[in-house]
Amino acid sequence: RRILSLILAAVILTIAIPTLAYPIELMGNDESKIYHRIDCRTIKYPERNHWTRFTSTEQAISAGYRACKICHP
């Protein structure tokens, strides 16, 4: 039972630590006003000038962007 608890704790920490260590990276399309996760398959040309970076969903929403329906950021 103790081993199972330790394994569960290790899994939770493996998931939680990277999430806490790195800010969420989101990209908002200035033309469509839709924000995406940085790895979204719908981002075709991220190097173009019509993208804005966000570090949180709250920041993107307050800037007037809505969430992508594909990657669900």
Side-chain angles (χ1 to χ4, degrees), residues 8-71:
L8 182 60
V11 169
I12 291 172
L13 287 174
T14 303
I15 294 169
I17 288 175
T19 304
L20 296 173
Y22 302 103
I24 300 170
E25 285 206 47
L26 304 169
M27 291 182 68
N29 185 312
D30 297 333
E31 295 174 351
S32 66
K33 293 293 187 185
I34 298 173
Y35 68 95
H36 309 263
R37 284 194 337 233
I38 199 107
D39 61 344
C40 181
R41 67 182 169 91
T42 62
I43 297 177
K44 298 206 182 333
Y45 304 104
E47 69 277 356
R48 290 196 180 158
N49 294 333
H50 61 269
W51 292 96
T52 302
R53 286 188 177 257
F54 299 108
T55 56
S56 69
T57 57
E58 292 81 14
Q59 184 184 22
I61 291 169
S62 68
Y65 290 75
R66 72 165 177 83
C68 172
K69 293 180 181 179
I70 303 296
C71 65

